[in-house]
Amino acid sequence: MVDRFPAVWAAQGAGRISAAHSRVIVDAGSGLESPDHREAYSAVILPLAEVESPNRLRALARRVAERFAPTTVSERHRRARSQRRVWATDGEDGMATLHTHAPAALVHGMFDRLSQMAHALRVENLRAKRRAARDGDEFEADDRTVDEIRADLLADLVLSGQPTGHDSEDGLLATISARIEITVPVTTLMDDDAHEGSGAPDAEAAPPAELDGVIPIDVDTARRLAGQTKGWERVLTHPITGRVLAVDRYRPSGHLRRHLRARDQRCRFPACGVAARKCDLDHNHAASTGGATCESNLASFCRRHHVLKHHTPWHVEQKPGGVMEWTSPIGRTYIDTPPAPNTVIFTESDAVRAPF
């Protein structure tokens, strides 16, 4: 202000405008490089600043500065559009902020649509509340503020909406879902009843979950996400040092499921013919006691024989090559080998030898 806008500095020193007015004027004229343009801009805006509040002056200052700008707003906007981006910053108490830098028309349009939807929900909720009170019905009111609803609507639209303006013909983008990584101590996942008398900490004292190993996540959110997830990565740690010993996945991946269906083809209980696609994939060595989620520890069992395995004296052990060894309650052993796949097998005698 002192070096580039001396007239503004003098007006503030004389008490004609406030420091807030000066900041607005300097910010709006920061793109004026020519001293003559800055002087002309100051001459026009200072009389307006003397009669307007800083808040009202902001729009006027931008409009006046545009008259003296060396390039048009269209030219500058085309350059500025290349800087559009979205980024996130972490906050405290398990919160974060999503920022977007984009054309003003789009940003204000997005905000206006979110606001309209938020107010519409509020109005409808109040109507429903009045109807329930009139009819004597129970009603659980939505007590969220408009700001809270706006934030929830944005999350809903981004996480579950369809990018119709950008998607490919085969819907490539529509198949993409959000992915985050949260580490949750097992005691945190235990409900309040399980904590009682178990020696484990209660819900309030349970160790917090962490997003990307850095950001604390509250217990309720961790439990809800854990209950909805499609797969778990189990991290086994040393009980004293906390060092990671092994990592595996409780639920088999799609690739592993396809592999096991192709290998087993049917339920692996002797003489059972239920197709593998209708069977459960079960850990032979239970995951809860350290069993790995891998080909050599999983097999296909129909629901009947899955229950039989867990709730009767029948016992099964998986041998190399996917061979299942069942032991009956009276000690008899039954071997079930993976059925031969429907494929072509070559032997040495089938080889076609080229003549010399």
Side-chain angles (χ1 to χ4, degrees), residues 208-266:
E210 288 186 339
L211 173 64
D212 294 332
V214 176
I215 309 165
I217 301 294
D218 65 281
V219 172
D220 290 338
T221 298
R223 290 176 179 171
R224 185 165 56 251
L225 292 174
Q228 297 172 351
T229 188
K230 296 180 180 179
W232 291 59
E233 298 288 348
R234 183 178 57 174
V235 182
L236 304 179
T237 59
H238 192 281
I240 305 300
T241 65
R243 181 172 57 89
V244 175
L245 302 177
V247 177
D248 64 11
R249 192 174 182 87
Y250 171 68
R251 294 189 179 183
S253 65
H255 172 77
L256 183 55
R257 288 178 181 274
R258 291 189 294 271
H259 176 84
L260 291 170
R261 281 199 300 267
R263 184 197 73 180
D264 294 341
Q265 299 184 49
R266 52 165 172 73

Side-chain angles (χ1 to χ4, degrees), residues 11-341:
Q12 180 181 331
R16 292 161 49 200
I17 61 174
S18 67
H21 286 94
S22 298
R23 284 193 294 270
V24 170
I25 295 172
V26 173
D27 287 345
S30 60
L32 302 177
E33 296 299 331
S34 168
D36 293 338
H37 288 164
R38 290 196 297 271
E39 183 178 354
Y41 162 71
S42 299
V44 175
I45 199 62
L46 281 173
L48 297 175
E50 293 175 9
V51 296
E52 293 287 359
S53 67
N55 188 47
R56 290 186 175 182
L57 181 66
R58 185 170 288 104
L60 296 174
R62 289 172 178 169
R63 194 176 305 159
V64 172
E66 188 63 35
R67 290 162 44 186
F68 299 99
T71 57
T72 66
V73 65
S74 297
E75 294 171 329
R76 298 197 305 276
H77 179 69
R78 280 194 292 270
R79 292 195 300 269
R81 280 178 62 92
S82 63
Q83 305 299 317
R84 62 189 184 277
R85 64 191 183 105
V86 176
W87 71 102
T89 56
D90 298 328
E92 299 296 330
D93 303 322
M95 302 295 285
T97 303
L98 181 69
H99 310 261
T100 179
H101 183 67
L106 298 182
V107 171
H108 283 273
M110 289 187 288
F111 185 79
D112 180 69
R113 188 178 183 220
L114 289 171
S115 298
Q116 289 189 61
M117 290 191 289
H119 285 289
L121 284 176
R122 287 273 291 176
V123 170
E124 180 56 32
N125 179 68
L126 291 174
R127 288 175 180 170
K129 184 178 181 179
R130 287 195 293 266
R131 286 196 300 266
R134 182 189 61 209
D135 300 337
D137 299 331
E138 292 186 3
F139 180 73
E140 185 176 350
D142 184 349
D143 58 358
R144 291 176 297 172
T145 66
V146 170
D147 282 335
E148 290 176 313
I149 297 175
R150 260 195 298 253
D152 295 344
L153 285 169
L154 177 61
D156 193 6
L157 290 169
V158 173
L159 292 175
S160 62
Q162 303 297 326
T164 55
H166 292 79
D167 212 350
S168 58
E169 293 182 0
D170 56 355
L172 174 64
L173 299 183
T175 63
I176 297 176
S177 58
R179 182 177 59 195
I180 58 176
E181 185 172 291
I182 295 179
T183 305
V184 191
V186 67
T187 54
T188 300
L189 295 179
M190 298 168 65
D191 60 27
D192 296 338
D193 293 336
H195 280 111
E196 294 180 3
S198 66
D202 57 24
E204 293 301 323
E210 288 186 339
L211 173 64
D212 294 332
V214 176
I215 309 165
I217 301 294
D218 65 281
V219 172
D220 290 338
T221 298
R223 290 176 179 171
R224 185 165 56 251
L225 292 174
Q228 297 172 351
T229 188
K230 296 180 180 179
W232 291 59
E233 298 288 348
R234 183 178 57 174
V235 182
L236 304 179
T237 59
H238 192 281
I240 305 300
T241 65
R243 181 172 57 89
V244 175
L245 302 177
V247 177
D248 64 11
R249 192 174 182 87
Y250 171 68
R251 294 189 179 183
S253 65
H255 172 77
L256 183 55
R257 288 178 181 274
R258 291 189 294 271
H259 176 84
L260 291 170
R261 281 199 300 267
R263 184 197 73 180
D264 294 341
Q265 299 184 49
R266 52 165 172 73
C267 172
R268 296 303 308 280
F269 186 81
C272 183
V274 175
R277 59 184 172 83
K278 299 180 180 180
C279 293
D280 302 330
L281 284 179
D282 184 53
H283 290 75
N284 301 139
H285 179 193
S288 60
T289 58
T293 302
C294 60
E295 172 196 353
S296 60
N297 192 44
L298 286 169
S300 304
F301 300 127
C302 68
R303 185 56 55 86
R304 176 187 176 189
H305 293 121
H306 189 173
V307 173
L308 178 90
K309 170 181 176 289
H310 286 287
H311 299 288
T312 73
W314 280 87
H315 172 74
V316 63
E317 183 178 354
Q318 184 167 171
K319 302 294 185 180
V323 174
M324 310 300 294
E325 183 181 275
W326 288 85
T327 303
S328 73
I330 61 174
R332 295 192 61 178
T333 300
Y334 300 86
I335 301 296
D336 185 81
T337 59

